[in-house]
């Protein structure tokens, strides 16, 4: 059986001649990729932790082409894996290591759907093809005098469709909310190949279920998003950025609370531990920015006109402050390059939990104690979005498929009333743990929606719900 060449059999990894022909008819032969040298970048996750076989990668260039591809796969009984920029971190953007009962998927890459409309100056909205990168959406908004509120370090690789599918968070949630808060309409291809298109951008539209909101966090299980209408914001006048040394999460939260009480909008409140600071300094050849070494460094960005008056810093603070754009970006790089820095150490178990703010310090302490109880761990670190009660745990040492520590960390977050996924999603790697933070009634309600829309179970099986 051949994984990569069209064949006439219908094995779990093969692309039958009839499906190959239907895909070529839908998108043209140049956009049906079967050569492993080419499909490799679509089948391996950014973390290099997960990869699995696909039958083909298909690159449609329009919504109609996406619909034709979906209909062809469904008729052939072949699973579909929607993919954006493949920057996901939970095993959900690439095929399973071992194909499930339906066999390997056809990956439908949205990257060619990259057109971005002009900004509607009256409503402050734009429409982007699902494959437009987040960075391109930012640049389009900024060129028209606006900003887009969702931002994250993978901005020049991840797509707007992927950020909707994962309901991405990022570095400005404190100011603008998760992706869901920015979405005012979507267009998508449902698992039966029909298209829903609701891109008018009406702010007031109480005509039943908000299907666009349902796609936020759907992780590709309900269909393929082809376009997104988003709301924009007017930019703040200049901002001030500070890195401040803190003794732990309790003092970091106290600092953030003082910043929020200061009367200026806080648009970023992030945290980096000592291990992460050292790694990024090595990776980016940056100096240690503060006078003393601290257990935690907090990054605050305040929209105070760029004069520092909104920063809650007294004379005893060990802090460095930046006002101009390039100095602000330099301070942000200590935080933004964390994920990349840990990835230089090999395969990293990346966990992404959130807990109520009042439990954050206690939960963070318990997580550290737990990690240190595993001799197999060679390096670990903590960084994240302080204001959102969201910490990212980076753990190096356990084999890629050793899930014992992952499970223990997620269970700890759940004990504190937290979520096993603050922003990266459930993917494949946490599908079995969904019940830690969602009730059986909630899971059954979600599954009922999934089953109603995708009765064959072919739209991204194994993600969100364990197969
Ligand atoms: C360096 C780095 C930093 C990151 N920082 C953050 C962060 O701060 N906050 C955060 O939330 N995430 C972060 N991420 C994770 C990742 O960037 C986000 O999850 C992002 O939203 C994924 O977008 P993507 O286009 O790469 O989607 P992919 O990785 O391709 O896919 C992710 C999921 O969405 C589905 N999907 C993708 N496109 C579509 C579509 N068009 N229709 C339907 N389903 C689709 C896929 O099936 C998959 O389940 C980071 C990742 C990296 C590598």
């Amino acid at each position: 059986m051949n994984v990569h060449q069209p064949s006439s059999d219908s094995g779990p990894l093969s692309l039958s001649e009839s499906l190959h022909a239907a895909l070529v008819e839908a998108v043209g032969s140049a956009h049906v990729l079967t050569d492993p040298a080419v499909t490799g970048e679509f089948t391996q996750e950014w973390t290099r932790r997960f990869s699995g076989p696909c039958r083909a990668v298909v690159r449609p260039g329009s919504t109609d082409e996406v619909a034709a591809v979906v209909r062809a796969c469904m008729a052939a009984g072949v699973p579909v894996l929607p993919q954006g920029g493949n920057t996901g971190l939970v095993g959900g953007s690439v095929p399973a290591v071992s194909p499930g009962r339906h066999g390997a998927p056809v990956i439908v890459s949205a990257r060619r759907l990259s057109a971005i409309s002009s900004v509607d100056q009256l409503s402050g909205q734009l429409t982007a093809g699902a494959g437009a990168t987040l960075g391109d959406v930012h640049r389009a908004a900024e060129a028209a005098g606006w900003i887009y509120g969702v931002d994250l370090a993978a901005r020049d690789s991840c797509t707007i469709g992927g950020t909707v599918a994962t309901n991405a968070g990022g570095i400005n949630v404190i100011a603008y909310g998760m992706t869901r808060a920015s979405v005012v309409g979507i267009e998508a291809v449902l698992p039966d190949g029909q298209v829903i298109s609701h891109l008018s951008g009406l702010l007031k539209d109480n005509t039943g279920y908000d299907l666009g909101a349902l796609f936020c966090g759907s992780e590709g299980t309900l269909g393929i998003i082809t376009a997104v209408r988003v709301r924009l914001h007017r930019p703040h006048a200049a901002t001030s950025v500070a890195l401040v040394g803190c003794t732990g999460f309790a003092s970091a939260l106290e600092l953030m609370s003082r910043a929020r009480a200061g009367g200026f909008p806080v648009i970023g409140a992030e945290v980096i531990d000592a291990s992460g600071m050292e790694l990024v300094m090595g990776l980016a050849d940056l100096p240690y920015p503060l006078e003393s070494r601290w257990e935690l460094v907090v990054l605050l960005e305040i929209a105070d006109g760029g004069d520092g008056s909104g920063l809650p810093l007294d004379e005893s603070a060990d802090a460095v402050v930046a006002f101009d754009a390039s100095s602000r970006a330099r301070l942000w790089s200590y935080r933004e390059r964390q994920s990349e820095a840990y990835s230089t150490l090999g395969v990293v178990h990346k966990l992404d939990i959130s807990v109520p703010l009042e439990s954050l310090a206690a939960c963070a302490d318990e997580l550290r104690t737990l990690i240190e109880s595993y001799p197999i761990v060679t390096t670990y670190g903590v960084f994240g979005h302080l204001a959102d009660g969201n910490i990212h745990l980076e753990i190096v040492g356990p084999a890629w498929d050793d899930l014992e520590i992952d499970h223990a960390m997620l269970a700890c977050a759940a004990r504190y009333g937290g979520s096993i996924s603050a922003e990266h999603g459930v993917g494949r790697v946490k599908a079995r743990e969904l019940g830690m933070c969602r009730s059986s009634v909630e899971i059954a309600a979600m599954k009922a929606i999934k089953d109603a829309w995708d009765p064959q179970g072919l739209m991204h099986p194994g993600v969100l719900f364990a197969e």
Side-chain angles (χ1 to χ4, degrees):
M1 188 177 300
N2 192 320
V3 181
H4 307 293
Q5 293 302 320
S7 77
S8 55
D9 72 41
S10 56
L13 303 178
S14 66
L15 184 62
S16 68
E17 279 172 10
S18 56
L19 179 54
H20 184 259
L23 297 176
V24 167
E25 191 183 342
V27 300
S29 57
H31 298 298
V32 180
L33 313 177
T34 53
D35 178 351
V38 181
T39 58
E41 70 167 285
F42 299 87
T43 55
Q44 181 166 65
E45 201 188 57
W46 186 87
T47 58
R48 302 190 307 279
R49 186 176 170 194
F50 303 106
S51 68
C54 69
R55 299 182 203 237
V57 175
V58 182
R59 304 191 312 147
S62 69
T63 300
D64 286 347
E65 289 187 8
V66 175
V69 167
V70 169
R71 282 196 298 269
C73 290
M74 295 295 150
V78 166
V80 169
L81 188 162
Q83 193 185 78
N86 193 14
T87 66
L89 302 172
V90 287
S93 53
V94 294
V97 179
S98 311
R101 65 193 163 97
H102 299 295
V106 165
I107 296 176
V108 180
S109 169
R111 288 188 216 173
R112 286 181 65 223
L113 306 171
S114 57
I116 300 178
S117 75
S118 56
V119 171
D120 177 342
Q121 291 289 349
L122 272 182
S123 63
Q125 297 178 359
L126 63 72
T127 300
T133 66
L134 182 60
D136 282 340
V137 171
H138 279 281
R139 285 182 278 277
E142 282 158 25
W146 297 81
I147 56 166
Y148 179 52
V150 179
D151 196 13
L152 46 105
R155 63 183 69 82
D156 285 318
S157 307
C158 70
T159 62
I160 195 85
T163 58
V164 173
T166 58
N167 188 31
I171 55 179
N172 295 143
V173 171
I174 185 174
Y176 307 111
M178 303 284 281
T179 297
R180 183 177 282 122
S182 291
V183 173
V184 290
I186 62 129
E187 179 181 85
V189 174
L190 300 179
D192 64 1
Q194 294 196 81
V195 177
I196 53 171
S197 188
H198 202 75
L199 295 169
S200 62
L202 290 175
L203 283 186
K204 305 189 94 172
D205 182 11
N206 280 347
T207 52
Y209 301 151
D210 185 344
L211 299 178
L214 198 51
F215 271 87
C216 296
S218 60
E219 299 188 42
T221 61
L222 294 181
I224 304 182
I225 301 159
T226 53
V228 186
R229 181 90 177 160
V230 293
R231 73 162 53 86
L232 307 173
H233 303 271
R234 286 295 186 194
H236 292 290
T239 65
S240 306
V241 173
L243 291 180
V244 191
C246 285
T247 51
F249 274 96
S251 62
L253 286 167
E254 201 265 328
L255 179 75
M256 182 193 74
S257 177
R258 279 194 283 129
R260 289 181 120 170
F264 295 99
V266 178
I267 56 176
E270 302 283 310
V271 68
I272 313 158
D273 76 357
S275 145
M277 288 298 290
E278 292 298 329
L279 276 174
V280 167
M281 284 156 55
L283 175 78
D285 198 21
L286 288 166
Y288 192 79
L290 304 175
E291 270 179 26
S292 309
R293 300 276 159 159
W294 294 88
E295 184 177 325
L296 286 182
V297 172
V298 169
L299 182 150
L300 288 175
E301 180 158 15
I302 316 278
D304 61 2
D307 63 3
S309 56
L311 292 165
L313 304 175
D314 57 28
E315 281 176 7
S316 65
D318 186 1
V320 55
V321 182
F323 305 111
D324 64 90
S326 71
S327 311
R328 290 196 308 259
R330 194 164 158 280
L331 294 193
W332 264 107
S333 63
Y334 288 92
R335 167 62 187 86
E336 292 239 79
R337 301 194 69 179
Q338 288 294 309
S339 216
E340 181 192 349
Y342 280 98
S343 291
T344 62
L345 302 178
V347 171
V348 185
H349 289 235
K350 291 177 174 289
L351 295 164
D352 157 46
I353 58 111
S354 62
V355 290
L357 284 179
E358 67 267 21
S359 304
L360 185 59
C363 180
D365 281 348
E366 191 173 331
L367 287 168
R368 282 193 183 128
T369 308
L370 252 174
I371 298 176
E372 285 169 11
S373 71
Y374 287 90
I376 196 172
V377 174
T378 53
T379 309
Y380 78 92
V382 172
F383 62 90
H385 311 291
L386 180 67
D388 316 331
N390 172 197
I391 50 181
H392 297 305
L393 296 155
E394 307 275 308
I395 303 171
V396 185
W400 70 271
D401 57 348
D402 177 352
L403 298 178
E404 189 183 335
I405 295 188
D406 303 43
H407 188 87
M409 299 297 123
L410 301 180
C412 177
R415 278 198 301 282
Y416 281 90
S419 171
I420 62 167
S421 172
E423 52 178 22
H424 294 163
V426 173
R428 295 183 200 285
V429 73
K430 289 179 272 184
R432 289 185 198 289
E433 274 109 356
L434 187 58
M436 282 182 178
C437 60
R438 301 302 291 262
S439 72
S440 56
V441 178
E442 285 179 299
I443 294 172
M446 288 197 271
K447 194 73 180 29
I449 295 168
K450 163 74 175 165
D451 292 344
W453 286 21
D454 181 21
Q456 288 179 272
L458 291 174
M459 186 55 74
H460 214 359
V463 163
L464 198 49
F465 311 105
E467 264 201 305

